[in-house]
């Protein structure tokens, strides 16, 4: 099946620093990728929709200047958490939509971010 | 925004038992999906439902798309220890290319 990877799998950073998370579709091209955030024992909440070659679409309440998304190629989207604070600590999960498989979204393994 | 409520929130069952969980919404969805998430991993698709009334099976899993398009259920028969995890329903209001709205999740524990 389709494979989506994320890097890093976990990261610890100091408050005020920026962290970049990569999402790659390994065996298919994805014009659209999605970024989710999941707090402990909660559901996945969509943060933004990442479109290759154009600006991302952010969900209500998500600060676009804090969560920078770049989708520069058909296999890579990046999420940068700028000026991270402890409340940004969460599990960040991406998914990539495969138009060749009935638009099914394939999820990455997630990135655990801890901000000290 | 839209919210999908799942019940029960958690279940503790014995190996071999059947499991049933459901998902309800205040609004209509055109597609219902069921995912399983293991700890520290991303969700994996179990079953996708595309038509109201549709009943679909995948091995020991059976799911149905409610006729009103506002609910769905997932059944797991003869549970085994590897069924442990969190089960999420998700819906799409547009076509299959539209974004997903996830349910609140059902945590399943299976005891030997």
């Amino acid at each position: 099946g389709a494979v989506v990877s994320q890097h890093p799998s976990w990261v610890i950073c100091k408050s005020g620093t920026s962290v970049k998370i990569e999402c790659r579709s390994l065996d298919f091209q994805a014009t659209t990728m999605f970024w989710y955030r999941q707090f402990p024992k909660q559901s996945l909440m969509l943060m933004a929709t990442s479109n290759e070659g154009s600006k991302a679409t952010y969900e209500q309440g998500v600060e676009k200047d804090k969560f920078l998304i770049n989708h520069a190629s058909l296999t890579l989207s990046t999420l940068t958490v700028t000026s991270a604070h402890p409340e940004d600590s969460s599990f960040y999960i991406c998914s990539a939509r495969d138009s060749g498989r009935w638009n099914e979204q394939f999820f990455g393994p997630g990135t655990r971010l801890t901000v000290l | 925004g839209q919210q999908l409520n799942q019940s029960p929130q958690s279940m503790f069952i014995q190996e071999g038992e059947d499991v049933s969980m459901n998902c309800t919404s205040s609004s209509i969805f055109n597609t219902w999906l069921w995912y399983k998430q293991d700890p520290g991993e991303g969700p994996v698709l179990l079953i996708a439902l595309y038509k109201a009334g549709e009943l679909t099976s995948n091995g020991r899993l059976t799911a149905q798309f409610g006729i009103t398009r506002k609910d769905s259920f997932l059944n797991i028969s003869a549970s085994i220890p590897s069924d442990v995890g969190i089960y999420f329903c998700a819906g799409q209001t547009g076509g299959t290319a539209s974004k997903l709205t996830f349910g609140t999740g059902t945590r399943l524990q299976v005891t030997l």
Side-chain angles (χ1 to χ4, degrees), chain A residues 9-28:
Chain A
S9 55
W10 60 269
V11 57
I12 301 173
C13 70
K14 291 183 179 179
S15 186
T17 61
S18 294
V19 173
K20 181 186 284 189
I21 302 170
E22 293 184 348
C23 178
R24 293 182 186 273
S25 56
L26 298 185
D27 52 0
F28 66 99

Side-chain angles (χ1 to χ4, degrees), chain A residues 57-115:
Chain A
T57 303
Y58 290 81
E59 295 299 301
Q60 193 172 10
V62 178
E63 300 174 56
K64 63 180 181 181
D65 294 330
K66 179 170 181 62
F67 299 98
L68 301 179
I69 292 173
N70 185 291
H71 193 156
S73 79
L74 289 172
T75 59
L76 173 64
S77 175
T78 61
L79 169 69
T80 301
V81 182
T82 63
S83 187
H85 288 97
E87 57 265 30
D88 297 323
S89 299
S90 187
F91 194 50
Y92 291 86
I93 306 174
C94 74
S95 72
R97 190 174 71 205
D98 187 348
S99 58
R101 289 188 173 98
W102 303 282
N103 289 318
E104 181 176 341
Q105 287 187 36
F106 294 91
F107 287 81
T111 296
R112 171 86 49 203
L113 170 63
T114 301
V115 185

